């Protein structure tokens, strides 16, 4: 199965620790998106990356959050000094092109972060 | 600022009947709309889409209707099946930013056997 792979599926952190979430896009896809779903809410755009470039980070909180998509390896969403409000499901999606005709994103199964 | 709204958090329908899920948007720059389906503990999967140049798109049991003047779209599922029970997200993309998809909060559909 060459779908979008996210790990870990579940991550528990204490307040003040760091969380690192990883995403490997579908084979052949060079565009990665990160979305966050808070309880009882929809998916909120965080950041869009291509290899080695952040294209749109308008949805990223100004502090403590960062994302990268290096030339080799998965995309990483990093949350420093986590707080309880960071508890959420974080979904990664990939696409082959930024402006495809279908506009379809392929989502991973998500990483659920719980901050104690 | 919620630019895509799904005002019904849940919907319950009898098997074989029609399910109608609604979605409203506020941004007149949106020109492409999608519906995603999500099962528990899984990521959303693409279901059907529609461009703003159309008012209807059909794929098997699923039909999406777009009313641009009302800034409203709906997803019809007929006949509904128990396997359709899931959370359905409406999403939209702006013509001035292909990068960002705006999602609604989802509607949980329960199809009763």
């Amino acid at each position: 199965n060459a779908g979008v792979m996210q790990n870990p599926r579940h991550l528990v952190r204490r307040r003040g620790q760091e969380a690192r979430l990883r995403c490997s896009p579908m084979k052949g896809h060079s565009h990665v998106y990160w979305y966050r779903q808070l309880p009882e809410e929809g998916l909120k755009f965080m950041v869009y990356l291509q290899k080695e470039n952040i294209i749109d980070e308008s949805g990223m909180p100004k502090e403590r959050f960062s994302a990268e998509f290096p030339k080799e390896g998965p995309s990483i969403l990093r949350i420093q000094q986590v707080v309880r409000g960071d508890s959420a499901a974080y979904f990664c999606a990939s696409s082959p092109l930024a402006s495809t005709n279908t506009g379809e994103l392929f989502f991973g199964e998500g990483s659920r972060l719980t901050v104690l | 600022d919620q630019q895509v709204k799904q005002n019904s958090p849940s919907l319950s329908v009898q098997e074989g009947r029609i399910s109608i899920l609604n979605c409203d948007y506020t941004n007149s720059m949106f020109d492409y709309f999608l519906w995603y389906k999500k099962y528990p503990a899984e990521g959303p999967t693409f279901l059907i889409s529609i461009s703003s140049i159309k008012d209807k798109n059909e794929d098997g049991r699923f039909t999406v209707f777009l009313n641009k003047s009302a800034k409203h779209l709906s997803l019809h599922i007929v006949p509904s099946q128990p396997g359709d029970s899931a959370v359905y997200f409406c999403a939209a993309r702006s013509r001035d930013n292909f990068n960002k998809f705006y999602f609604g909060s989802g509607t949980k559909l329960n199809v009763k056997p």
Side-chain angles (χ1 to χ4, degrees):
Chain A
N1 185 344
V4 178
M5 303 300 294
Q6 288 188 249
N7 69 84
R9 291 293 308 278
H10 300 276
L11 182 64
V12 179
R13 286 287 179 264
R14 296 190 181 280
R15 280 179 297 171
Q17 292 184 319
E18 179 179 288
R20 283 189 182 225
L21 308 176
R22 287 174 290 276
C23 169
S24 296
M26 282 185 71
K27 188 176 181 181
H29 288 191
S30 57
H31 300 251
V32 165
Y33 302 75
W34 284 95
Y35 281 81
R36 174 165 68 172
Q37 185 182 23
L38 295 169
E40 308 303 324
E41 293 189 17
L43 296 158
K44 292 283 172 56
F45 170 83
M46 298 183 75
V47 63
Y48 160 56
L49 311 102
Q50 295 177 21
K51 283 284 188 183
E52 300 183 278
N53 285 304
I54 297 175
I55 306 302
D56 184 342
E57 57 180 347
S58 57
M60 288 279 272
K62 294 288 186 282
E63 298 177 348
R64 301 187 299 107
F65 284 71
S66 62
E68 63 177 9
F69 189 14
K71 187 177 180 182
E72 301 290 339
S75 175
I76 306 283
L77 179 67
R78 181 184 179 201
I79 311 171
Q80 295 177 289
Q81 298 172 355
V82 296
V83 301
R84 288 214 174 108
D86 297 332
S87 296
Y90 292 82
F91 289 95
C92 172
S94 72
S95 72
L97 291 170
S99 56
T100 60
N101 288 333
T102 65
E104 180 181 352
L105 298 178
F106 295 82
F107 281 87
E109 294 181 324
S111 292
R112 184 164 299 279
L113 172 65
T114 300
V115 180
L116 302 177
Chain B
D1 179 24
Q2 194 74 8
Q3 299 189 49
V4 178
K5 298 179 183 179
Q6 294 177 258
N7 292 318
S8 298
S10 63
L11 175 67
S12 188
V13 171
Q14 202 69 36
E15 180 180 6
R17 305 294 289 267
I18 185 171
S19 296
I20 300 177
L21 296 99
N22 294 304
C23 178
D24 297 293
Y25 62 96
T26 57
N27 191 336
S28 56
M29 293 292 283
F30 288 157
D31 69 342
Y32 198 79
F33 305 88
L34 309 94
W35 284 93
Y36 282 81
K37 178 179 177 180
K38 184 182 180 303
Y39 292 116
E42 294 184 12
T45 54
F46 170 77
L47 191 58
I48 192 169
S49 63
I50 188 167
S51 166
S52 60
I53 63 174
K54 295 185 175 181
D55 53 21
K56 176 183 173 182
N57 188 26
E58 192 172 348
D59 183 2
R61 296 184 298 114
F62 302 91
T63 303
V64 55
F65 294 92
L66 176 62
N67 183 336
K68 289 186 288 294
S69 60
K71 292 192 176 66
H72 177 84
L73 65 156
S74 60
L75 175 68
H76 293 210
I77 307 172
V78 55
S80 301
Q81 298 174 354
D84 296 330
S85 296
V87 177
Y88 289 79
F89 289 99
C90 169
R93 187 181 70 184
S94 174
R95 67 170 62 91
D96 63 351
N97 189 347
F98 283 166
N99 302 332
K100 191 183 294 186
F101 294 80
Y102 297 83
F103 283 80
S105 54
T107 296
K108 186 174 183 179
L109 174 65
N110 178 31
V111 180
K112 295 177 287 187

